[in-house]
Amino acid sequence: MLSVNNTQYTVTRMKTPNTIPAPEIFPAEQDIPTKYQIHEFIEQREYLVNGELRQWEGPMNQVLSPVCIKTNEGFQQKVIGSSPLLTSKESLEALEAAKEAYNNGQGFWPTLKVKERIQYMEIFVDEMLKQRDEVIKLLMWEIGKTLADSAKEFDRTVTYIKDTIHALKELDRRSSKFEIESGVIAQIRRVPLGVTLCMGPYNYPLNETFTTLIPALIMGNTVVFKPAKYGVLLIRPLLEAFKNSFPKGVINIIYGRGRATVGALMETGKLDAFAFIGTNKGANDLKKMHPKPHKLRSVLGLDAKNPGIVLPDANMENAVAECVTGSLSYNGQRCTALKILFVHRSIVDEFLEKFTEAIDQLKAGMPWEEGVKLTPLPEPGKTDYLTDLVKDAEAYGAKVVNAENGGGEIHETYFHPAVLYPVTAEMKVYREEQFGPVVPVVAYDDVEEVVDYVVSSNFGQQASIFGRDSKKIAALVDELYHQVSRININAQCQRGPDVFPFNGRKDSAEGTLSVSDALRVFSIRTIVATKDKESNKEIIRSIVRDGDSSFLRTDYIL
Ligand code: G3H
């Protein structure tokens, strides 16, 4: 039984038998199913430059799993391997390899016909599919993502690549004709930008990285790719696939600390495009290092503080279910997660009761366990940061509503979801993106308070509205569509389906990603034009007929 009155908040919740106390989630080594065990320390010394898997003999970075192992000496975070800490020297070699392969657009890769680049990509997908099980296993161990979500991430990435191939064929078909306008004959095509740096986030180290890497490559750019901070070893099974599928220098993969590696790349001014999914601070710091800001095309997916807005007439069951998955799937570590819930004061008691009950039903455990939803966190110091947010909120009068059922409890790398109420503007969690299992709930009286929050936010990615009254929903949509890039009605925020545009305003993003938009982002429309005169037409006809140009052509991909 949980009771909330609007001025004085009290909790008289009984512990439910469904709750698994946090300390019990970590297994002994022998309790891990054999097929999910990491049998050997993964010492990765290879990195990919100029079509060669080079061996690194210098300092290594230890890769710690968020999974802890129960031993006689207590719980120990599992060390699963190590990866190279390259220096600026190796990253600059990667850049030179990419630059040479691009060769000012005259290289083998950028001048290939689209259908030939597609063939290379198809070879890569076939090779990638052979590594499915290994990549999924490493996703679980490195970032603590559940087996179901890890499999989804892999399969979604493969689908994304196939959809990209399909979209590129469409794009190329549309460019295969000449246009005649106001006495000018022209062919308009998208051509690559040049050398691209791709960096992805730890929460989707495969999928989100590949949503920029694959379109960049297939459009004819050459790439230096640096895997995310966590979720590094899972790229290793794909290194051979990259090496064997693409011509040398087209894709180069480096490892190490940001400033030493990518900082050095930026400072050269030789990068033409920068794809980064991470924090806006990280993106700002790197972008500023590039000496020619207008040369650098950036596509960025950054921070967000997406609000869930529960109107007084919302279908409670649906709102609770969507807010639980919206705020806590992958422990809230999604840029699209619902990071603050605004619930109308008239229904906040009922909402909190049902919301915390639903959280109690979420199974905490190891990523490979059946039905598990809550898992340990990969970022060092994250549990301390989340505790600090909770303590700060408590100092200003909030309570952990589900404290008696483990809310806010920590065990090693595991943090049990904490529902904070009543959250107010003085608290850090009101504005900061927690990117973890802390759910701030704010009671509002007038929906304009919520609109003001969104307008004054530094972020502008998405919002969710839960309600029934179409007129009220319409009014709110009309206030929000100038503030955020996607408004979800009676549904949590999310990126998919991947054919939909994914972007944001303010500090949340730069550029738009989707299967088809990404092809545009990594290319520039270029025109070859002539006056509509018979002599000019004959030149064009002759070039097309003899297949003399990779730009001027009318072949149609079937
Ligand atoms: O972390 C941000 C992701 O783009 C979110 O994607 O909504 O499919 O989880 P998702």
Side-chain angles (χ1 to χ4, degrees), residues 274-347:
F274 175 43
F276 177 88
I277 318 278
T279 63
N280 78 85
K281 181 176 179 327
N284 289 348
D285 290 349
L286 285 170
K287 271 182 77 170
K288 274 188 223 144
M289 296 170 109
H290 197 291
K292 298 175 182 161
H294 307 307
K295 172 181 170 180
L296 188 71
R297 165 90 60 93
S298 298
V299 52
L300 312 173
L302 307 172
D303 324 49
K305 186 82 178 172
N306 296 340
I309 308 164
V310 186
L311 298 172
D313 66 343
N315 173 327
M316 188 59 76
E317 203 179 315
N318 177 64
V320 165
E322 293 289 321
C323 287
V324 168
T325 50
S327 55
L328 289 173
S329 55
Y330 187 40
N331 313 302
Q333 300 166 118
R334 293 161 58 235
C335 61
T336 49
L338 288 173
K339 302 219 172 79
I340 186 159
L341 303 178
F342 288 90
V343 184
H344 192 267
R345 199 176 297 279
S346 62
I347 54 162

Side-chain angles (χ1 to χ4, degrees), residues 156 203-204 208 333-336 435 493-496 502:
R156 178 181 180 181
N203 64 334
Y204 279 95
E208 288 227 297
Q333 300 166 118
R334 293 161 58 235
C335 61
T336 49
F435 214 77
C493 298
Q494 62 178 49
R495 174 178 177 149
F502 177 56

Side-chain angles (χ1 to χ4, degrees), residues 27 78 83-85 108 111 152 216 238 316 321 334 340-341 354 442 469 484 527 543:
K78 172 111 175 160
S83 62
L85 278 175
F108 174 76
T111 52
K152 199 157 110 193
L238 303 175
M316 188 59 76
R334 293 161 58 235
I340 186 159
L341 303 178
K354 297 203 160 123
V442 183
D469 182 330
V484 298
I527 306 173
I543 292 173

Side-chain angles (χ1 to χ4, degrees), residues 344-389:
H344 192 267
R345 199 176 297 279
S346 62
I347 54 162
V348 73
D349 293 3
E350 185 190 353
F351 179 86
L352 282 169
E353 174 153 11
K354 297 203 160 123
F355 188 67
T356 49
E357 266 170 21
I359 291 174
D360 292 345
Q361 303 307 313
L362 300 177
K363 179 175 169 186
M366 293 300 96
W368 46 82
E369 283 173 33
E370 180 130 11
V372 78
K373 300 285 183 207
L374 303 169
T375 53
L377 310 174
E379 284 181 287
K382 190 61 178 262
T383 53
D384 290 345
Y385 167 70
L386 296 173
T387 302
D388 179 60
L389 280 184

Side-chain angles (χ1 to χ4, degrees), residues 200-256:
Y202 83 79
N203 64 334
Y204 279 95
L206 183 75
N207 182 261
E208 288 227 297
T209 316
F210 278 39
T211 61
T212 61
L213 175 65
I214 297 300
L217 283 174
I218 209 166
M219 285 311 289
N221 302 279
T222 58
V223 170
V224 177
F225 159 37
K226 183 178 168 305
K229 215 169 178 180
Y230 317 109
V232 177
L233 296 176
L234 61 92
I235 301 297
R236 190 191 195 202
L238 303 175
L239 282 180
E240 284 280 347
F242 277 118
K243 172 180 157 316
N244 296 336
S245 308
F246 294 103
K248 69 173 191 173
V250 168
I251 167 83
N252 304 275
I253 306 181
I254 58 168
Y255 299 87

